[in-house]
Amino acid sequence: MAPENLIPEKQIGEFVTRLRQAAEPNLESLILYGSAVSGEYDPEYSNINLLCVLKDTVLPKLLALAPSVKWWTKQSHSARC
C-alpha cells in the first residue's frame, strides 16, 4: 500500500475545485478510481485516474473546462478524452 503522502491529494483537490467552478451545474459527477484509491499508487509509474461525467457536451461547455485541463497537464498529469 502506498503511503498517503505519495498521492498528490492537494493537486487532485485543486483540480476538482477548478472543474467544479468551470463546469458549474453541468458537472454531474467526478470519480477518482485506480491505484490512487486502491492503495497501489506509485508516483513514478501510476497515473491519477479521474472520470468526469457531464450533463451536456456541447462545444462551449467543453471549452469552459479547457483552462482546468491545461492546469492539470502542467502539473505533469495526462488528460484523455
Side-chain angles (χ1 to χ4, degrees), residues 19-34:
L19 275 178
R20 281 183 176 162
Q21 290 172 349
E24 297 178 347
N26 192 37
L27 183 62
E28 185 72 29
S29 183
L30 192 56
I31 303 163
L32 177 67
Y33 66 98

Side-chain angles (χ1 to χ4, degrees), residues 12 29 31 45 51 55 59 76-77:
I12 294 169
S29 183
I31 303 163
Y45 301 105
L51 173 65
K55 295 176 185 176
L59 185 58
S76 299
H77 299 292

Side-chain angles (χ1 to χ4, degrees), residues 11 14-15 18 69-78:
Q11 287 182 350
E14 176 69 20
F15 185 56
R18 288 169 179 262
V69 174
K70 185 175 182 178
W71 177 87
W72 182 248
T73 58
K74 283 186 175 185
Q75 307 308 306
S76 299
H77 299 292
S78 62

Side-chain angles (χ1 to χ4, degrees), residues 1-78:
M1 181 178 264
E4 287 184 31
N5 61 348
L6 295 179
I7 299 171
E9 292 182 35
K10 287 184 181 182
Q11 287 182 350
I12 294 169
E14 176 69 20
F15 185 56
V16 168
T17 297
R18 288 169 179 262
L19 275 178
R20 281 183 176 162
Q21 290 172 349
E24 297 178 347
N26 192 37
L27 183 62
E28 185 72 29
S29 183
L30 192 56
I31 303 163
L32 177 67
Y33 66 98
S35 62
V37 177
S38 70
E40 298 175 11
Y41 181 80
D42 182 327
E44 191 172 335
Y45 301 105
S46 299
N47 292 322
I48 300 296
N49 303 111
L50 287 161
L51 173 65
C52 180
V53 180
L54 303 171
K55 295 176 185 176
D56 193 349
T57 58
V58 295
L59 185 58
K61 294 198 179 209
L62 293 176
L63 290 174
L65 303 178
S68 300
V69 174
K70 185 175 182 178
W71 177 87
W72 182 248
T73 58
K74 283 186 175 185
Q75 307 308 306
S76 299
H77 299 292
S78 62

